[in-house]
């Protein structure tokens, strides 16, 4: 089968983008046919963990597929659906969004003719109103346009991406996911809880559902400084097992799963991250990151491995938690109210803003804003064996 597709970088991730109308008919609706197709496109499940026979890059950041279609929700331009394809296991996780690839949706939609041409200026910024269908939320992307075409090149630098590009501003509206974790931004009702984690014991945690459900713990409480790079975590199987135990305990407390074994089929959410006060370190690129230039350090895991930078959705969770006085994230950043936070991650730093408020005694987040970049890496068609959909 030859299926029209575009391979795009969005933020610090890469994925294969499809228009819904270009998919085989059986894959235009949720279900096994769609999952099988995306697995074959990416090259999963692969017991070798390399995805050699597919478009995936054998990391959580590069094992992704996206479907974009004309909006089904009023006052939006497009619907955006995201699938996180497991590398070695037989499933596709549809339980959350990818904040990094969100930055590529607007450019893809414009270039694919899914945005009304009357709304695309010849020069300037095109506002693309995106319905994030996985979680039922709105993302507004400001996409630079020159000569009626998406502008990709520029001088915006994003740590974790080698080359500069044009800046795309993303605004996540009402990013708390009340439909998922217990009906509140803080699903347990507490800013800090004590988790009883098998093999670790009692552990303080802030559990938040904003951007993506996330479990935050203090780096020092689990033996880390918060300045670790990927090898320190990903080459330590015992460490990965402990962090997964924290994730499972958090998922249970947040009401995302009912039994520990359910976490195996829900690897994308929740995320688990550890935080620490600012400290000097050297990023994976070799660039020094001075403590004076950041508010705190954060390290987060995605699909069971330490992320090479920071997931976009987790960045929303970090900014939101940092804005609420008393959370572990806020305390690591020095406490007190704030609307913007700059944190250190393995590839460098990132600044994200969030606006929060208390309504009837409950914390809510109205918006989160961050900058990313995106570009087309290749366009044309992907090929998969016809029997994939049999």
């Amino acid at each position: 089968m030859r299926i029209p597709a575009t391979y795009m970088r969005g933020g610090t991730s890469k994925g294969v983008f499809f228009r819904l109308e270009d998919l085989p008919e059986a894959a235009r609706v949720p279900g096994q046919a769609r999952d099988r197709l995306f697995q074959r496109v990416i090259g999963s499940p692969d017991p070798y963990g390399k995805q050699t026979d597919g478009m995936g890059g054998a990391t959580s950041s590069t094992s992704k597929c996206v479907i974009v279609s004309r909006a089904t929700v009023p006052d939006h331009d497009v619907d955006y659906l995201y699938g996180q394809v497991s590398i070695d296991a037989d499933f596709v996780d549809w339980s959350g969004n990818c904040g990094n690839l969100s930055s590529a949706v607007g450019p893809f939609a414009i270039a694919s003719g899914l945005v009304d041409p009357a709304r695309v200026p010849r020069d300037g910024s095109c506002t693309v109103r995106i319905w994030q269908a996985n979680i039922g939320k709105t993302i507004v992307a400001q996409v630079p346009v020159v000569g009626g075409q998406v502008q990709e090149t520029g001088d915006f630098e994003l740590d974790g991406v080698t080359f500069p590009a044009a800046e795309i501003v993303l605004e996540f509206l009402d990013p708390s996911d009340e439909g998922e974790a217990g009906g509140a931004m803080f699903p347990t009702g507490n800013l800090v809880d004590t988790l009883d984690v098998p093999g670790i014991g009692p552990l303080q945690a802030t559990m938040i559902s904003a951007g993506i459900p996330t479990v935050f713990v203090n780096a020092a409480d689990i033996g880390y400084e918060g300045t670790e790079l990927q090898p320190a975590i990903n080459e330590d199987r015992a460490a990965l097992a402990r962090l997964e135990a924290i994730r499972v305990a958090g998922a249970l407390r947040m009401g995302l799963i009912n039994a520990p074994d359910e976490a195996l089929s829900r690897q994308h959410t929740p995320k688990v991250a550890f935080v620490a006060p600012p400290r000097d370190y050297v990023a994976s690129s070799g660039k020094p990151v001075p403590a004076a230039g950041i508010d705190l350090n954060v390290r987060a895991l995605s699909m069971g491995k330490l992320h090479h930078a920071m997931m976009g959705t987790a960045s929303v969770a970090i900014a939101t938690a940092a804005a609420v006085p008393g959370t572990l994230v806020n305390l690591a950043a020095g406490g007190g109210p704030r609307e913007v936070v700059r944190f250190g991650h393995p590839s460098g730093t990132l600044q994200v803003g969030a606006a929060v408020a208390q309504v009837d005694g409950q914390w809510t987040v109205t918006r989160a804003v961050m900058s990313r970049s995106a570009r087309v890496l290749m366009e044309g068609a992907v090929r998969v064996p016809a029997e994939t959909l049999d």
Side-chain angles (χ1 to χ4, degrees):
M1 290 187 294
R2 182 181 184 278
I3 305 168
T6 302
Y7 194 44
M8 296 193 72
R9 176 185 66 78
T12 56
S13 292
K14 294 190 291 188
V16 184
F17 281 62
F18 300 91
R19 296 193 309 175
L20 179 65
E21 63 200 69
D22 291 332
L23 291 175
E25 188 172 352
R28 293 178 193 170
V29 295
Q32 186 179 63
R34 176 181 287 178
D35 287 1
R36 289 284 179 263
L37 175 65
F38 283 3
Q39 286 177 307
R40 198 67 172 91
V41 166
I42 293 296
S44 290
D46 184 358
Y48 302 105
K50 302 297 183 185
Q51 293 180 325
T52 305
D53 196 23
M55 298 293 292
T59 69
S60 67
S61 301
T62 57
S63 188
K64 303 168 182 278
C65 286
V66 168
I67 302 172
V68 183
S69 58
R70 297 190 187 279
T72 59
V73 177
D75 299 322
H76 290 73
D77 296 298
V78 291
D79 288 2
Y80 152 45
L81 190 65
Y82 162 69
Q84 176 77 51
V85 182
S86 177
I87 296 170
D88 54 359
D90 184 14
F91 73 95
V92 180
D93 197 331
W94 300 95
S95 65
N97 178 31
C98 175
N100 275 297
L101 287 189
S102 297
S103 62
V105 174
F108 176 81
I110 294 171
S112 301
L114 296 173
V115 177
D116 182 354
R119 298 197 61 253
V120 181
R122 178 161 182 80
D123 297 290
S125 178
C126 179
T127 300
V128 183
R129 303 160 300 184
I130 302 163
W131 180 251
Q132 213 303 316
N134 297 77
I135 59 175
K137 295 292 181 178
T138 298
I139 303 169
V140 179
Q142 300 295 339
V143 182
V145 174
V146 174
Q149 304 294 316
V150 174
Q151 172 70 19
E152 294 189 330
T153 57
D155 57 7
F156 173 72
E157 296 186 356
L158 179 64
D159 286 341
V161 177
T162 305
F163 304 106
E167 180 180 9
I168 296 172
V169 179
L170 294 177
E171 184 176 5
F172 298 81
L173 302 183
D174 185 25
S176 61
D177 195 1
E178 298 91 345
E180 268 278 38
M185 192 168 87
F186 294 100
T188 68
N190 303 316
L191 303 184
V192 179
D193 285 275
T194 299
L195 288 179
D196 188 12
V197 183
I200 296 178
L203 188 65
Q204 281 196 317
T206 288
M207 290 168 282
I208 190 170
S209 186
I212 200 165
T214 307
V215 181
F216 291 103
V217 298
N218 287 319
D221 291 348
I222 54 174
Y224 295 123
E225 294 184 348
T227 59
E228 287 75 14
L229 303 184
Q230 281 189 301
I233 305 297
N234 293 345
E235 295 175 8
D236 185 342
R237 291 188 177 183
L240 292 175
R242 289 193 297 271
L243 289 161
E244 177 64 9
I246 295 170
R247 193 182 78 89
V248 173
L252 286 165
R253 183 68 69 87
M254 295 174 82
L256 297 172
I257 59 175
N258 295 312
D261 59 356
E262 292 179 18
L264 294 173
S265 60
R266 193 185 174 114
Q267 292 184 0
H268 183 51
T269 56
K271 302 300 186 189
V272 62
F274 51 95
V275 300
R279 183 188 292 240
D280 296 343
Y281 69 99
V282 177
S284 56
S285 64
K287 181 176 69 175
V289 179
I294 55 177
D295 299 305
L296 77 161
N297 277 309
V298 190
R299 301 296 186 263
L301 279 82
S302 179
M303 302 293 285
K305 295 290 181 69
L306 184 69
H307 197 273
H308 71 100
M310 184 56 63
M311 304 80 81
T313 49
S315 299
V316 172
I318 292 165
T320 303
V324 178
T327 69
L328 296 185
V329 183
N330 174 266
L331 294 173
R338 64 173 61 243
E339 292 188 352
V340 176
V341 66
R342 180 178 290 277
F343 57 86
H345 57 73
S347 293
T349 68
L350 182 65
Q351 180 172 299
V352 186
V356 300
Q358 273 189 306
V359 179
D360 297 329
Q362 296 256 358
W363 283 100
T364 63
V365 55
T366 56
R367 62 195 287 267
V369 180
M370 72 177 78
S371 288
R372 285 288 195 268
S373 62
R375 78 178 187 93
V376 173
L377 302 178
M378 183 177 287
E379 56 189 354
V382 292
R383 300 204 178 221
V384 296
E387 59 267 22
T388 300
L389 298 183
D390 289 348

